[in-house]
């Protein structure tokens, strides 16, 4: 087992730390979010310290800072050549990481969501994917990508998750208006989507389109829904958002 440190302790770091603690790793966290770090200390016996202390005591480091503050936080810190680094910071390039974390040179960049603590979160990985797999798999499958452009495209797809949740919220609001039952509307909508996706056959390219076409046949309510969304240019809006996010990550 390894000594794993977290620079930045918040929404993404906490579930990763809990997962790795369950797997037997020793956890070190910064006080950047005092409430979260105190909870991790109480729940998983994490050692809480200043950033340099966390770095000095760790073999593997997760960088979980917001991208716009990464340089300010990391630049004053000292790393070792033997450090292995996992960055979960969108828009912080490999070039920037190598400069900020020198002389460390063993990196992997990835895109986690909080549900990885329960497993089933696919992790796009650019760099040392074996390092990430050794920590996260088999609970969370690691998907190796060839370059940072591909990684950024996966980051954009991750941003689609709250967009889909936003649409589902609109559906829940509509159902609540029709039934007067907010709890029932949210339960029904979330269970319907979660159950359907969970039942789909895994590992078959084109299965999303195939399932769509199986439901949206001539004369059905499902076809009316897909056609209305297409006519309203929902798909164009999604593509535009993904493209804009991808361009933002390149800068």
């Amino acid at each position: 087992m390894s000594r794993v440190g977290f620079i930045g302790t918040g929404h993404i770091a906490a579930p990763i730390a809990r997962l790795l603690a369950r797997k037997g790793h020793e956890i070190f966290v910064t006080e950047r979010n005092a409430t979260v770090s105190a909870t991790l200390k109480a729940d998983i016996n994490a050692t809480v310290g200043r950033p340099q202390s966390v770095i000095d005591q760790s073999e593997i480091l997760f960088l979980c800072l917001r991208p716009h503050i990464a340089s300010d936080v990391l630049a004053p810190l000292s790393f070792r050549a033997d450090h292995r680094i996992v960055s979960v910071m969108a828009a912080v390039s490999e070039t920037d990481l190598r400069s900020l974390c020198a002389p460390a040179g063993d990196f992997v960049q990835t895109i986690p969501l909080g549900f990885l603590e329960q497993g089933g979160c696919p992790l796009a990985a650019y760099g040392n994917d074996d390092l990430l797999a050794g920590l996260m798999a088999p609970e969370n499958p690691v998907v190796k990508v060839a370059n940072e452009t591909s990684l950024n495209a996966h980051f954009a797809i991750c941003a689609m998750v709250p967009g889909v949740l936003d649409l589902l919220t609109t559906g829940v609001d509509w159902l609540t208006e029709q039934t007067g039952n907010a709890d029932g509307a949210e339960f029904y909508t979330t269970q319907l989507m979660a159950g359907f996706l969970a039942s789909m056959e895994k590992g078959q390219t084109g299965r999303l389109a195939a399932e769509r076409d199986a439901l949206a046949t001539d004369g059905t309510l499902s076809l009316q829904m897909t056609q209305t969304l297409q006519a309203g240019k929902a798909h164009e809006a999604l593509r535009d958002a993904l493209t804009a996010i991808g361009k933002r990550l390149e800068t």
Side-chain angles (χ1 to χ4, degrees), residues 115 120 160-161 164-165 168 189-203 207-209 211-212 215:
F115 72 92
M160 192 172 73
V161 172
V164 172
L165 294 176
L168 290 176
T189 303
T190 54
Q191 286 297 116
L192 183 69
M193 296 302 174
F196 184 80
L197 290 173
S199 72
M200 286 178 57
E201 186 178 351
K202 304 298 188 294
R207 61 192 181 279
L208 285 172
E211 292 288 354
R212 176 202 63 202
L215 291 170

Side-chain angles (χ1 to χ4, degrees), residues 123-144:
L123 298 169
Y126 172 59
N128 186 354
D129 56 296
D130 288 337
L131 167 60
L132 192 64
L135 293 167
M136 300 296 187
E139 296 88 348
N140 299 285
V142 173
V143 180
K144 182 177 179 61

